[in-house]
Amino acid sequence: MALENSIFPSRPDSLTLPVEEKREGGDVEVAADATCATGVFNLSEELGHVVTTETTPPPPITATVKRSFQAKLAEREANANQPRKKTQGTEKERGRFGWARTRRKRQRYVEKNGRCNVQHGNMRETYRYLTDIFTTLVDLNWRCSLFVFVMAYAVTWLFFGAIWYLIAYCRGDLDHLEDEDWTPCVNNVNGFISAFLFSIETETTIGYGYRVITDQCPVGTILLLLQAILGSMVNAFMVGCMFVKISQPNKRAETLVFSKHAVISLRDDKLCLMFRVGDLRSSHIVGANMRAKLIKSKQTQEGEFIPLDQTDISVGFETGDDRLFLVSPLVISHEIDSRSAFWDMSQAQLEKEDFEIVVILEGMVEATGMTCQARSSYLAEEVLWGHRFSPMMSLAEGFFDVDYGAFHHTFEVNTPSCSARELSLAAARLDAHLYWSISSRLDEEPTLAQQAATQPDAGSADSKAGEEPTDVQEQPGLGELNGSVATDQSESEA
């Protein structure tokens, strides 16, 4: 079944190909290139038999309620030819054959929540962890810490319970349970379970009074002393570990928040890198101190490659601005000057760079007196050029109201897209131009005064003294530029 009279309004020349027509004699005839804008395609049931004929364009079809197939096809092609709007987002790079290739996202050195994304492997000197067993136990996660806590007590109870049972077995106390004349080492110990219960009562100093050691067993007396001393050490060690782990200030850092993005904009006509930090608690951080590091791989002049090189980013160490009074959210600013790592970085270069900025806030917790550290990081794509943080503080009745809903909000501002070096050079050229223009004008003032003094006099010598004030008054510009010079010359001529 063939589809006839299918009219395509526009057909590009690139799709115009010669058509081969097979005949009975076996000859192959190649038709001429069809370059007309409109053609009729007759598709027979036999695939490959295509005949193209030129036709005159049909008369315009009047608008009807039900659109024809040609109208729908024309509308679809017109919509397809319209330029598409560019979607916002990162543009995909094109590979060798034009295939879309997304940019590889940089692996973070420090996560947004402050966790360092570093794992240590191939460590052969693992015995070093046992030399500092207390710190090792404190650094364990809660599941392992609870397991070690339970096992420490259970093992010691079982160990000393087995020794008490062994003493009773070796002395023959288990064979004289019904003998009232026999004095056992521990009264009412008739098996391993009773020995284990006596071990628990001894180490925990419960002392129910039913199982009691007698004075006829010196070995039991020594064992009782050892278990009491060792039990006190285990209690002190495990309770200390749990107390330190519970009171760790790591969770205090959860209420110290950093902005999701860093921004670059002008402050006092200078480009500055800024980010925001805040404290959600009413108890403040005492002696808060801010630091920032630039993590970026580099290659030295000798060809040495240094991965994840760390460079200090000044946030006011010279002026003391790095020491914060963190009562309300603050915007930390880094001025991009000649000593900054961003001195030669423009907006276009920022989009191509691959670096990470690590910010560190340290201070002492006011409630516990322990040192706390909060960390975060910003990748290159998280630094917004030409943005500024939205204000979030307002004055209420008797207090300052802080709206943390606008903590991460930014808005665009007019910011030059050039680097800080280019901006500084442009400002220096402008200052130099103003300086030389003012100095040249000042140099012209004595010349104008000399020209006014050497002008020929039209009157007589008697009227010269009376006319000189008039000459000076007729030249207001000279008097304004250099009034003192004109006054001195008039007095000398008089």
Side-chain angles (χ1 to χ4, degrees):
M1 183 175 181
L3 176 63
E4 298 181 354
N5 299 330
S6 298
I7 299 175
F8 293 84
S10 61
R11 180 162 52 91
D13 296 337
S14 60
L15 298 180
T16 303
L17 300 175
V19 180
E20 296 182 356
E21 184 178 359
K22 295 183 180 180
R23 296 184 177 179
E24 295 179 358
D27 299 332
V28 179
E29 182 179 357
V30 180
D33 294 343
T35 58
C36 60
T38 307
V40 178
F41 291 82
N42 298 326
L43 304 179
S44 62
E45 294 181 358
E46 299 177 359
L47 297 177
H49 185 195
V50 182
V51 180
T52 305
T53 59
E54 297 182 1
T55 60
T56 59
I61 303 174
T62 58
T64 58
V65 178
K66 295 183 178 180
R67 294 185 302 173
S68 62
F69 174 78
Q70 289 83 359
K72 294 181 180 179
L73 187 60
E75 183 181 358
R76 182 180 301 176
E77 186 173 1
N79 295 333
N81 293 333
Q82 291 179 358
R84 297 182 179 178
K85 297 181 179 179
K86 293 183 179 180
T87 58
Q88 297 180 354
T90 58
E91 296 183 358
K92 295 183 178 180
E93 301 178 358
R94 295 292 175 179
R96 182 176 180 182
F97 300 101
W99 297 339
R101 181 177 58 188
T102 57
R103 183 181 178 183
R104 182 178 63 86
K105 188 176 180 181
R106 176 184 172 92
Q107 183 68 38
R108 285 186 178 274
Y109 189 65
V110 177
E111 299 291 342
K112 296 293 287 185
N113 58 0
R115 185 181 64 86
C116 296
N117 194 13
V118 178
Q119 294 184 359
H120 303 281
N122 196 18
M123 294 182 298
R124 300 180 180 179
E125 299 179 353
T126 55
Y127 66 91
R128 295 181 180 272
Y129 288 97
L130 299 178
T131 57
D132 189 10
I133 187 63
F134 185 82
T135 306
T136 302
L137 293 177
V138 171
D139 290 340
L140 292 176
N141 54 25
W142 275 104
R143 185 179 302 176
C144 296
S145 297
L146 292 176
F147 177 77
V148 172
F149 184 82
V150 172
M151 291 302 298
Y153 286 101
V155 168
T156 53
W157 294 340
L158 289 172
F159 175 74
F160 284 101
I163 295 179
W164 287 115
Y165 176 77
L166 183 62
I167 292 176
Y169 178 79
C170 294
R171 292 185 76 257
D173 295 340
L174 301 179
D175 298 333
H176 301 81
L177 296 177
E178 303 296 336
D179 190 358
E180 297 179 356
D181 297 334
W182 182 264
T183 304
C185 183
V186 180
N187 292 328
N188 301 317
V189 173
N190 52 11
F192 179 77
I193 300 299
S194 58
F196 176 71
L197 294 176
F198 178 73
S199 175
I200 296 176
E201 295 175 10
T202 302
E203 189 167 340
T204 57
T205 64
I206 294 177
Y208 291 111
Y210 183 72
R211 298 177 182 86
V212 182
I213 189 172
T214 60
D215 56 356
Q216 301 296 325
C217 183
V219 178
T221 304
I222 297 175
L223 182 61
L224 180 65
L225 295 176
L226 292 177
Q227 186 174 3
I229 296 173
L230 186 60
S232 300
M233 295 175 62
V234 171
N235 287 332
F237 190 81
M238 297 310 302
V239 171
C241 287
M242 296 302 294
F243 175 78
V244 172
K245 192 170 184 64
I246 293 173
S247 61
Q248 272 186 328
N250 296 339
K251 296 302 180 182
R252 179 63 177 88
E254 297 293 334
T255 54
L256 298 174
V257 292
F258 295 89
S259 58
K260 294 181 181 178
H261 296 88
V263 299
I264 294 180
S265 60
L266 289 176
R267 261 195 178 185
D268 298 331
D269 295 335
K270 294 182 180 179
L271 284 177
C272 295
L273 171 69
M274 294 171 285
F275 58 93
R276 181 180 274 171
V277 61
D279 188 5
L280 302 180
R281 287 188 179 274
S282 300
S283 59
H284 310 305
I285 297 293
V286 180
N289 185 20
M290 177 62 66
R291 294 185 293 126
K293 291 281 187 180
L294 175 64
I295 309 297
K296 182 180 178 181
S297 301
K298 75 171 186 178
Q299 189 172 4
T300 61
Q301 298 179 358
E302 294 79 13
E304 180 186 1
F305 179 75
I306 304 177
L308 302 178
D309 181 62
Q310 300 184 10
T311 305
D312 283 333
I313 299 178
S314 177
V315 290
F317 177 76
E318 295 83 1
T319 59
D321 294 337
D322 60 332
R323 294 183 288 273
L324 310 178
F325 181 54
L326 198 59
V327 178
S328 61
L330 300 176
V331 176
I332 310 301
S333 176
H334 162 65
E335 181 180 336
I336 303 178
D337 52 9
S338 58
R339 297 173 295 176
S340 174
F342 307 99
W343 177 243
D344 296 321
M345 187 176 299
S346 61
Q347 183 178 4
Q349 188 178 1
L350 176 64
E351 299 174 356
K352 302 176 183 179
E353 285 291 335
D354 188 11
F355 61 85
E356 183 176 356
I357 301 174
V358 179
V359 291
I360 305 170
L361 175 63
E362 294 179 340
M364 187 170 59
V365 182
E366 186 180 22
T368 61
M370 303 183 70
T371 304
C372 172
Q373 185 181 91
R375 298 180 293 266
S376 186
S377 66
Y378 302 98
L379 297 180
E381 55 266 21
E382 295 174 349
V383 179
L384 304 179
W385 189 286
H387 283 245
R388 187 180 297 167
F389 287 105
S390 301
M392 53 182 301
M393 182 178 292
S394 61
L395 181 61
E397 296 181 359
F399 60 92
F400 293 93
D401 186 20
V402 179
D403 181 16
Y404 274 95
F407 184 82
H408 302 286
H409 292 178
T410 61
F411 62 95
E412 294 185 5
V413 292
N414 293 329
T415 305
S417 59
C418 62
S419 63
R421 176 192 289 273
E422 297 173 353
L423 186 62
S424 177
L425 291 176
R429 293 192 194 100
L430 181 60
D431 294 341
H433 176 71
L434 294 176
Y435 172 78
W436 288 111
S437 62
I438 294 174
S439 60
S440 60
R441 186 174 181 180
L442 293 176
D443 293 339
E444 291 176 357
E445 292 178 1
T447 305
L448 295 175
Q450 293 176 4
Q451 291 178 359
T454 57
Q455 287 180 356
D457 297 336
S460 60
D462 297 337
S463 63
K464 193 179 294 184
E467 293 178 356
E468 281 182 359
T470 306
D471 296 339
V472 175
Q473 293 177 359
E474 290 177 354
Q475 298 178 359
L478 179 61
E480 293 177 359
L481 293 175
N482 197 352
S484 60
V485 175
T487 304
D488 296 340
Q489 289 179 354
S490 63
E491 290 178 358
S492 62
E493 291 178 0

